[in-house]
């Protein structure tokens, strides 16, 4: 764990213009800097960096964030990796806090495996280029596949000598641990003798998103019925196969820029397409797509195009990952390569430009493709056709994001036409599957609560999905009543604390704006509904109690990405705009300057307190209506009178605050 002191030193040195300028050519335009957005294709610059707010914003594709977010999105670093990159950049010594012995042991083991894999990568590459066997066997194979030396070096391909223990002896002589060598899969033990697991094979290193080697795939070059064609690294502390896609490190920028990921099956497919200039491509390495892999793709783009061989196996493999990809909100297309070809052979056969055009011309919508294939299989069989209708309805029901609701309706319309069934009937069937999913989630939630365990989070159906279902049942109109209009004032409260928390609240005493807010007659958390706002207020208050007021940087570069995202939105928002009535009642001045922030502090807190009082009035009225006890009713009447008095005072701008 990186210490808070180190993080503070890094944050104090961050210059967002300098950081972004390493990757984007920026030109000064007034107080800001302008450049071409690195996250989408554009000819006219719309990517703006604002040094005063320490944020970037693209007005073309909408991306925004801070310097750390930029590194995480552009370079695909984790939060900790971004911090380490910045520490190295600004020559900050990284101090780490004490962790448990178990965690420390896991970290050390992971570091050791990475070191061994890197050594092996260098060894296999050196063997490929600098030994006679490597050149005659391994290099010849790659060249026969059409790979240039530039491509071979880019993907760090290698070769393992066809000798029992050539690599093993070298690694042990260098002092590498035999147990760890076995754990990586580089070394195997037979007849109590350690030997090379990849001997006589060409080697494909598998990288993580930041370029570190997680493991290897090794292909045999001679026919051997007793040996598998590929030998892959076993799963260990750093390599989990279902969380990795081959080529991600080399494809990440192209996927970002083109807003599309091409998915193929094998290593050589990826390498051939990259060499042809088609770089937004990764491979599933012959396995069925997993949820983790789909989420990895979604980090870069929502558009997934799967390239499969045109044989039956390829079609079936394509359909296996369909529903899961739809659930993840991906826009999935399918391209079938002509029979007896694969992406590797076909791109070399027709060339890069023709291959690109082939993809563009032959993309098929995944759901409609599944429908066509299934209808061919069902033929005139009524039972199969009935089953098919249920399958398609269940698939469409998995499109549960509000922004995808129109797409869901389009599928219902098109599928009902193809199936020659009533559209309303298909709508009802889709809603049935959505309701069943909701019921399952509710039942699971109840079971988890009974077990005193937290409810599931990743797969919970969103409120937007529920609203979409209700909208369908009400004629297919989506309600846009999702946004809480009061949330702007909650954000304004956060903005005031971050910008003016340490400013004096009055000339008469030493109280600050933070003192005023945290000594209101109501619990500060109860003034907000947004959970992230509450989290920020809670953490700010904790540091306030420790006499250590955080500045905006603390939350702008927070380790919690939800907090960072909200603060970035707050910093890029225009000043809060209220109705003329509110401006008149509270004399709101939204232009920060001189002591204007004092009026904003009072008006914002009064607004939120008034909202809370009005909620309390409603709750009190409900209690009075439900109660049959005379004494309770009298107390409710007294409470109503008191709350109405507070409401009038706030509305008239006469509310007073007593510091506790």
């Amino acid at each position: 764990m990186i210490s808070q002191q180190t993080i503070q030193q890094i944050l104090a040195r961050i210059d967002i213009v300098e950081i972004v300028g390493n990757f984007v050519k920026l030109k000064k335009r007034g107080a800001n800097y302008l450049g071409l957005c690195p996250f989408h294709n554009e000819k006219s610059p719309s990517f703006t960096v604002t040094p005063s707010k320490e944020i970037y914003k693209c007005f073309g594709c909408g991306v925004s964030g801070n310097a750390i977010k930029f590194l995480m999105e552009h370079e695909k670093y984790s939060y900790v990796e971004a911090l380490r990159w910045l520490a190295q950049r600004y020559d900050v010594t990284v101090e780490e806090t004490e962790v448990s012995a178990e965690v420390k042991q896991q970290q050390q083991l992971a570091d050791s495996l990475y070191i061994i894999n890197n050594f092996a990568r260098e060894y296999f590459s050196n063997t490929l280029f600098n030994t006679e066997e490597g050149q005659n066997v391994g290099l010849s194979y790659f060249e026969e596949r059409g790979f240039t030396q530039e491509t071979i070096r880019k993907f760090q391909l290698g070769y393992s000598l066809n000798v029992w223990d050539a690599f093993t002896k070298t690694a042990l002589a260098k002092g590498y641990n035999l147990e760890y060598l076995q754990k990586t899969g580089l070394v195997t033990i037979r007849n109590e003798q350690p030997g090379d697991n990849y001997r006589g094979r060409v080697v494909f290193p598998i990288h993580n998103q930041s370029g570190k080697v997680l493991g290897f795939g090794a292909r045999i070059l001679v026919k051997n019925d007793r040996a598998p064609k590929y030998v892959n690294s076993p799963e260990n502390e750093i390599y989990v196969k279902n969380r990795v896609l081959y080529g991600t490190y080399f494809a990440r920028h192209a996927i970002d820029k083109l807003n599309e990921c091409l998915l193929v099956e094998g290593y050589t497919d990826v390498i051939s397409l990259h060499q042809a200039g088609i770089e937004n491509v990764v491979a599933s390495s012959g396995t069925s797509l997993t949820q983790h892999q789909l989420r990895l793709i979604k980090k870069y783009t929502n558009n997934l195009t799967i390239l499969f061989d045109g044989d039956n196996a390829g079609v079936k493999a394509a359909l296996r990952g369909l529903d899961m990809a739809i659930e993840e909100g991906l826009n999935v297309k399918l391209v079938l390569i002509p029979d007896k070809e694969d992406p590797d052979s076909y791109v070399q056969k027709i060339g890069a430009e023709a291959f690109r055009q082939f993809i563009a011309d032959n993309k098929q919508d995944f759901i409609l493709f599944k429908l066509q294939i299934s209808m061919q299989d069902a033929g005139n069989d009524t039972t199969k056709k009935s089953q098919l209708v249920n399958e398609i309805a269940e698939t469409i029901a998995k499109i549960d994001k509000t922004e995808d609701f129109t797409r869901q309706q389009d599928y219902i319309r098109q599928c009902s036409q193809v199936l020659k069934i009533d559209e309303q009937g298909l709508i009802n069937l889709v809603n049935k599957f959505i309701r069943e999913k909701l019921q399952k989630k509710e039942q699971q939630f109840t079971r988890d609560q009974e077990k005193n365990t937290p409810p599931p989070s990743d797969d919970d159906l969103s409120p937007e999905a529920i609203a979409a279902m209700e909208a369908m049942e009400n004629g297919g109109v989506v309600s846009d009543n999702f946004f809480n209009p009061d949330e702007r004032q909650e954000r304004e409260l956060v903005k005031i604390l971050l910008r003016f928390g340490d400013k004096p609240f009055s000339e008469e005493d030493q109280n600050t704006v933070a003192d005023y807010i945290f000594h209101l007659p109501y619990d500060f958390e109860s003034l907000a509904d947004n959970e992230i706002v509450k989290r920020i207020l809670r953490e700010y208050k904790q540091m306030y109690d420790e006499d250590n007021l955080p500045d905006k940087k603390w939350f702008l570069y927070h380790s919690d990405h939800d907090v960072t995202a909200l603060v970035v939105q707050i910093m890029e928002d225009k000043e809060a705009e209220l109705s003329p009535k509110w401006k008149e009642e509270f004399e709101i001045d939204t232009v920060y300057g001189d002591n204007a922030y004092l009026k904003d502090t009072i008006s914002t807190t009064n607004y939120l307190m008034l909202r809370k009082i009005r909620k309390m009035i409603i709750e009190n009225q409900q209690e009075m209506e439900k109660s049959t006890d005379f004494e309770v009713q009298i107390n409710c009447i007294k409470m109503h009178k008191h709350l109405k008095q507070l409401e009038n005072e706030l509305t008239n701008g006469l509310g007073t605050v007593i510091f506790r």
Side-chain angles (χ1 to χ4, degrees):
M1 301 288 289
I2 298 177
S3 70
Q4 292 300 328
Q5 185 177 359
T6 298
I7 294 174
Q8 292 283 22
Q9 290 180 35
I10 294 169
L11 299 187
R13 288 167 169 79
I14 283 179
D15 180 340
I16 190 169
V17 176
E18 179 189 355
I19 299 303
V20 175
N22 280 286
F23 307 95
V24 179
K25 187 176 181 180
L26 298 172
K27 289 185 179 180
K28 194 166 179 25
R29 184 73 58 85
N32 300 329
Y33 290 80
L34 200 63
L36 293 173
C37 180
F39 301 110
H40 81 289
N41 280 324
E42 64 176 7
K43 295 180 180 178
S44 300
S46 60
F47 183 82
T48 303
V49 178
T50 306
S52 61
K53 295 181 178 179
E54 298 190 53
I55 62 173
Y56 63 86
K57 168 81 175 181
C58 175
F59 293 93
C61 65
V63 298
S64 61
N66 55 40
I68 292 179
K69 175 77 176 299
F70 181 87
L71 288 172
M72 292 172 68
E73 290 296 316
H74 193 272
E75 295 300 294
K76 303 307 171 190
Y77 290 154
S78 67
Y79 179 74
V80 173
E81 287 171 337
L83 284 176
R84 291 187 184 280
W85 187 94
L86 289 165
Q88 186 175 12
R89 174 84 181 180
Y90 292 115
D91 198 25
V92 174
T93 302
V94 176
E95 295 180 356
E96 300 192 20
T97 57
E98 277 297 319
V99 295
S100 67
E102 183 182 355
V103 171
K104 192 170 185 179
Q105 186 177 10
Q106 289 174 348
Q107 291 174 341
Q108 289 174 341
L109 174 56
D111 288 342
S112 297
L113 298 182
Y114 279 124
I115 290 169
I116 288 173
N117 283 345
N118 189 58
F119 165 73
R121 176 192 63 76
E122 292 176 346
Y123 173 89
F124 293 137
S125 179
N126 181 65
T127 301
L128 178 72
F129 286 106
N130 299 318
T131 68
E132 185 176 350
E133 183 183 334
Q135 292 173 354
N136 292 338
V137 181
L139 197 56
S140 294
Y141 167 78
F142 287 133
E143 289 173 346
E144 286 172 10
R145 296 299 301 253
F147 301 159
T148 65
Q149 286 208 12
E150 181 183 359
T151 298
I152 294 168
R153 292 185 186 278
K154 173 183 175 179
F155 284 87
Q156 302 174 344
L157 307 181
Y159 178 74
S160 180
L161 294 172
N162 194 17
V163 178
W164 168 250
D165 58 359
F167 168 79
T168 303
K169 281 184 177 178
T170 305
L172 292 175
K174 293 280 186 181
Y176 291 107
N177 183 292
L178 179 59
E179 181 187 348
Y180 291 173
L181 287 167
Q182 288 178 263
K183 191 176 280 286
T184 61
L186 291 161
V187 172
T188 184
I189 304 291
R190 288 182 186 169
N191 300 322
E192 300 183 358
Q193 293 297 316
D196 300 355
N197 200 26
Y198 304 147
R199 61 189 179 281
R201 295 172 179 263
V202 287
V203 180
F204 299 84
I206 301 167
H207 303 81
N208 68 7
Q209 297 166 68
S210 59
K212 290 183 178 179
V213 178
L214 297 168
F216 301 90
R219 187 191 193 282
I220 198 167
L221 299 181
V222 295
K223 288 186 178 181
N224 187 339
D225 295 337
R226 298 177 61 187
K229 183 177 180 180
Y230 276 96
V231 174
N232 298 302
S233 295
E235 294 199 350
N236 53 45
E237 281 71 9
I238 64 173
Y239 179 61
V240 181
K241 192 172 185 179
N242 68 9
R243 294 174 180 265
V244 177
L245 289 167
Y246 179 75
T248 305
Y249 174 66
F250 303 101
R252 66 198 195 285
H253 293 318
I255 296 172
D256 266 341
K257 202 145 197 169
L258 298 174
N259 195 23
E260 181 184 31
C261 176
L262 304 181
L263 181 71
V264 295
E265 191 171 357
Y267 305 134
T268 55
D269 293 327
V270 170
I271 297 169
S272 283
L273 290 176
H274 269 262
Q275 184 169 280
I278 303 168
E279 298 185 341
N280 59 323
V281 57
V282 297
S284 58
S285 304
T287 63
S288 298
L289 276 173
T290 68
Q291 194 173 51
H292 292 296
Q293 290 171 330
L294 290 166
R295 287 177 179 174
L296 179 58
I297 291 170
K298 199 174 179 182
K299 285 180 65 177
Y300 305 96
T301 181
N302 285 329
N303 300 309
L304 172 63
T305 300
I306 306 178
L307 312 184
F308 275 103
D309 303 349
D311 57 17
N312 290 333
V315 173
K316 290 177 182 177
L319 295 176
R320 276 199 298 270
L322 169 62
D323 285 3
M324 204 162 22
I326 294 297
E327 276 189 296
E328 288 300 321
L330 291 166
N331 304 316
V332 187
K333 304 291 184 185
L334 173 68
V335 175
L336 295 180
I337 304 299
D339 201 11
K340 298 182 180 178
E341 299 281 1
D342 56 32
D344 174 15
S345 64
Y346 199 52
V347 73
Q348 295 197 40
K349 181 177 180 179
I350 67 173
E353 288 307 314
F355 190 88
R356 284 193 185 93
Q357 192 60 47
F358 176 82
I359 293 174
D361 294 341
N362 290 275
K363 285 183 186 178
Q364 301 178 61
D365 183 274
F366 227 159
I367 290 181
L368 298 178
F369 175 79
K370 177 182 181 179
L371 178 59
Q372 291 168 5
I373 293 296
S374 300
M375 283 190 69
Q376 290 173 9
D377 183 54
N380 295 321
D381 189 318
T382 306
T383 304
K384 284 186 176 180
K385 187 174 180 181
S386 176
Q387 183 181 351
L388 167 59
V389 172
N390 277 278
E391 288 177 0
I392 290 298
E394 188 172 10
T395 296
I396 295 174
K398 295 180 187 298
I399 305 172
D400 62 5
K401 304 291 188 297
T402 303
E403 61 270 21
D404 292 332
F405 185 57
T406 301
R407 189 160 66 100
Q408 187 187 62
Q409 288 183 309
D410 286 340
Y411 280 130
I412 289 172
R413 187 180 65 256
Q414 293 181 65
C415 291
S416 62
Q417 290 172 356
V418 173
L419 289 164
K420 296 180 181 178
I421 60 175
D422 177 59
E423 184 175 328
Q424 187 58 48
L426 186 56
I427 288 175
N428 294 338
L429 192 56
V430 168
N431 287 339
K432 170 180 171 288
F433 283 112
I434 292 176
R435 280 193 296 271
E436 286 177 358
K437 184 174 182 180
L438 282 169
Q439 289 167 359
K440 286 180 183 177
K441 295 299 175 187
E442 187 177 350
Q443 290 167 2
Q444 182 62 47
F445 179 82
T446 304
R447 284 196 298 270
D448 288 336
Q449 285 209 319
E450 288 172 354
K451 293 176 184 176
N452 215 10
T453 58
S457 58
D458 283 349
D459 298 323
D460 280 345
L461 200 63
S462 64
E464 291 87 348
I466 301 170
M469 182 191 76
E470 291 171 349
M472 289 185 68
E473 294 176 337
N474 292 323
V477 179
V478 180
S479 168
D480 49 352
N481 246 349
F482 299 128
F483 183 71
N484 178 4
D486 293 334
E487 191 170 323
R488 179 175 287 277
Q489 287 308 298
E490 296 183 15
R491 293 182 177 197
E492 189 69 11
L493 181 63
V494 171
K495 182 188 284 187
I496 288 167
L497 273 174
L498 297 186
R499 296 185 65 169
F500 307 112
D502 61 344
K503 301 291 184 185
F505 186 76
S506 66
E507 297 178 0
E508 291 77 22
D509 53 43
Q510 299 299 312
N511 288 320
T512 64
V513 169
D515 292 327
Y516 175 83
I517 291 172
F518 291 125
H519 289 82
L520 291 170
Y522 302 102
D523 175 47
F524 65 92
E525 280 191 58
S526 72
L527 297 179
D529 292 333
N530 185 294
E531 288 301 322
I532 303 173
V533 169
K534 286 184 179 182
R535 206 178 309 163
I536 294 172
L537 293 175
R538 199 179 300 125
E539 186 168 339
Y540 193 107
K541 177 65 162 58
Q542 182 180 346
M543 298 177 77
Y544 164 86
D545 290 340
E546 296 169 355
D547 292 325
N548 182 26
L549 282 187
D551 60 13
K552 66 180 181 182
K553 272 193 172 185
W554 178 259
F555 293 100
L556 184 61
Y557 294 103
H558 202 277
S559 58
D560 186 323
H561 302 319
D562 291 336
V563 169
T564 296
L566 182 63
V567 173
V568 167
Q569 289 176 8
I570 289 172
M571 299 308 294
E572 72 183 24
D573 269 353
K574 294 180 179 178
E575 311 307 344
E577 293 180 3
L578 295 177
S579 68
K581 181 180 177 182
W582 276 104
K583 289 185 179 182
E584 182 181 344
E585 285 185 353
F586 289 111
E587 298 181 344
I588 294 175
D589 182 357
T590 56
V591 179
Y592 290 121
D594 298 328
N595 293 329
Y597 66 84
L598 298 179
K599 288 184 179 180
D600 286 325
T601 302
I602 294 171
S603 64
T604 298
T605 52
N606 279 4
Y607 180 100
L608 294 172
M609 285 192 293
L610 183 58
R611 183 182 67 168
K612 179 176 177 61
I613 288 170
R614 286 175 175 171
K615 287 180 181 177
M616 292 171 68
I617 288 173
I618 293 171
E619 290 169 359
N620 185 63
Q621 287 174 335
Q622 291 172 342
E623 183 179 354
M624 185 167 60
E625 290 170 1
K626 290 179 182 178
S627 177
T628 56
D629 187 293
F630 180 73
E631 187 175 346
V632 171
Q633 290 178 336
I634 292 296
N635 288 334
C636 286
I637 291 171
K638 290 179 180 179
M639 176 60 73
H640 180 77
K641 184 178 179 180
H642 174 66
L643 291 173
K644 290 299 288 185
Q645 181 182 351
L646 291 176
E647 180 186 35
N648 290 333
E649 287 179 353
L650 283 171
T651 303
N652 295 326
L654 298 176
T656 57
V657 174
I658 301 173
F659 283 91
R660 291 195 284 268

